[in-house]
């Protein structure tokens, strides 16, 4: 079964073809980072318009790379939510229009389920069950995963997501958008002893997170410096921030592993590409004797491959999930734990 995946939840347009027998056949991605940089963040209307321009060329690209015909597609999976409403509508309308034209069934996929299952695209995927840290610009959640659609929410952020804290703190330091990679790179040259920022909810005895206070601590620190803050001072603030956020994420993961008794931890979402987080988690895993699994770096960000794969996994379990009802709708807000097992 060949599934076309369409991702358009925010500022990346991604299309991919996944075959349940041969694996990932092709994937293509267009990022809107350059377009949104001058605004310091994603402009929803611009994002939606750009998705319209990109979907059809990307479809032709993946069809060509996979060396198949459009009629060879068996089903079309698209991101139904959560995400920006206008951006989601572009992907949904494209998928449903294509499904109607080709007489192929469609399936709405949860964006976060795509992220959650993306490490399974690796050459050595984890087996169920596992604990998953879903950490991105919009979400920070710890989940127990027993199978496709079998998710138990252990804890989540009560305010800002980790990725948002990265971007906002980077902006406070005058770094360009997207701020996450920039502040992480800057932190590598910082002195960890200069700024000891708070570790929010580190000892809360639950699996919830809070990063708004950490962001405020960064703002307070930056205000103590002159407007022409030196690069070394920025690096020291960046190092203090990154150390604080990594410490919290790692500590919560270690506790979740201990309490669950499981031996596999999966990291998903854009922040999963963070070098400092990976190093700290690998060290903790070696000490506490559990395994850590990451998506390939190209699949940490939003992408069509994870949507095609998540759709394929659900359809492989239950082919009747796909429909030829092309009256689509999207769900900009859609809690992951509302999903049912495949």
């Amino acid at each position: 079964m060949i599934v076309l995946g369409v991702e358009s939840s925010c500022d990346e347009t991604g299309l991919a073809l996944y075959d349940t027998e041969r694996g990932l056949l092709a994937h293509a991605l267009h990022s809107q980072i350059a377009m949104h940089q001058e605004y310091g963040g994603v402009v929803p209307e611009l994002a939606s318009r750009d998705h319209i321009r990109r979907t059809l060329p990307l479809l032709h690209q993946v069809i060509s790379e996979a060396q198949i015909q459009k009629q060879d597609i068996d089903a079309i999976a698209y991101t139904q939510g959560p995400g920006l409403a206008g951006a989601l509508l572009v992907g949904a309308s494209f998928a449903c229009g294509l499904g109607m034209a080709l007489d192929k069934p469609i399936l709405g996929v949860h964006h976060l389920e795509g992220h959650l299952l993306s490490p399974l695209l690796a050459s050595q995927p984890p087996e169920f069950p596992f604990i998953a840290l879903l950490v991105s610009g919009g979400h920070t959640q710890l989940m127990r995963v027993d199978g496709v659609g079998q998710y138990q929410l252990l804890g989540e952020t009560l305010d800002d997501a980790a990725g948002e804290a990265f971007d906002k703190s980077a902006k406070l330091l005058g770094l360009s958008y997207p701020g996450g990679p920039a502040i992480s790179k800057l932190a590598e040259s910082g002195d960890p002893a200069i700024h000891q920022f708070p570790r929010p909810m580190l000892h809360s005895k639950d699996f919830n997170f809070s990063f708004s206070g950490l962001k405020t601590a960064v703002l307070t620190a930056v205000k103590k410096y002159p407007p022409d803050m030196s690069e070394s001072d920025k690096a020291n603030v960046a190092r203090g921030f990154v150390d604080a956020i990594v410490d919290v994420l790692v500590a919560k993961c270690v506790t979740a592993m201990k309490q669950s008794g499981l031996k596999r931890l999966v990291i998903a979402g854009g922040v999963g590409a963070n070098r400092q987080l990976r190093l700290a988690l690998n060290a903790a895993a070696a000490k506490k004797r559990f395994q850590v699994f990451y998506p390939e770096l190209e699949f940490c960000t939003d992408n069509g491959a994870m949507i095609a794969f998540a759709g394929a996994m659900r359809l492989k379990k239950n082919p009747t999930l796909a429909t030829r009802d092309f009256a689509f709708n999207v769900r900009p807000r859609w809690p992951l734990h509302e999903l049912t097992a495949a």
Side-chain angles (χ1 to χ4, degrees), residues 140-213:
T140 302
Q141 299 177 327
L142 266 170
M143 313 280 298
R144 178 185 170 114
V145 181
D146 290 292
V148 178
Q150 296 176 268
Y151 311 130
Q152 177 189 355
L153 180 64
L154 302 178
E156 61 185 340
T157 182
L158 303 180
D159 40 58
D160 294 346
E164 181 182 358
F166 267 97
D167 287 339
K168 295 290 179 61
S169 296
K171 191 172 184 178
L172 292 173
L173 290 172
L175 304 179
S176 62
Y177 172 85
I183 197 171
S184 294
K185 183 176 182 180
L186 183 61
E188 293 178 359
S189 60
D191 185 341
I194 302 298
H195 293 283
Q196 295 293 320
F197 291 125
R199 273 62 173 162
M201 301 190 73
L202 183 63
H203 304 293
S204 62
K205 297 182 180 181
D206 58 28
F207 298 113
N208 291 325
F209 304 88
S210 172
F211 297 113
S212 62

Side-chain angles (χ1 to χ4, degrees), residues 274-295:
N274 181 272
R275 181 174 176 272
Q276 292 95 332
L277 178 60
R278 289 193 175 209
L279 289 173
L281 282 171
N282 290 341
K287 183 178 180 180
K288 299 296 182 180
R289 299 181 182 277
F290 61 84
Q291 293 178 284
V292 189
F293 297 85
Y294 306 95

Side-chain angles (χ1 to χ4, degrees), residues 81-82 107-120 134 141 145 147-151 268 306-307 309-311 313-314 334 336 339-342:
L107 174 67
V109 170
H110 196 294
H111 177 76
L112 298 185
E113 182 170 60
H115 275 303
L116 203 60
L117 299 179
S118 61
L120 276 67
L134 183 57
Q141 299 177 327
V145 181
V148 178
Q150 296 176 268
Y151 311 130
M306 68 183 193
I307 302 304
F309 179 73
M313 292 302 97
R314 283 192 164 266
W334 187 6
L336 181 61
L339 287 181
T340 56

Side-chain angles (χ1 to χ4, degrees), residues 71-94:
Q71 282 295 340
D72 295 328
I73 296 171
D74 296 302
I76 303 170
Y78 67 94
T79 303
Q80 189 175 13
L84 301 175
L88 290 169
L89 284 168
V90 174
S93 60
F94 175 80

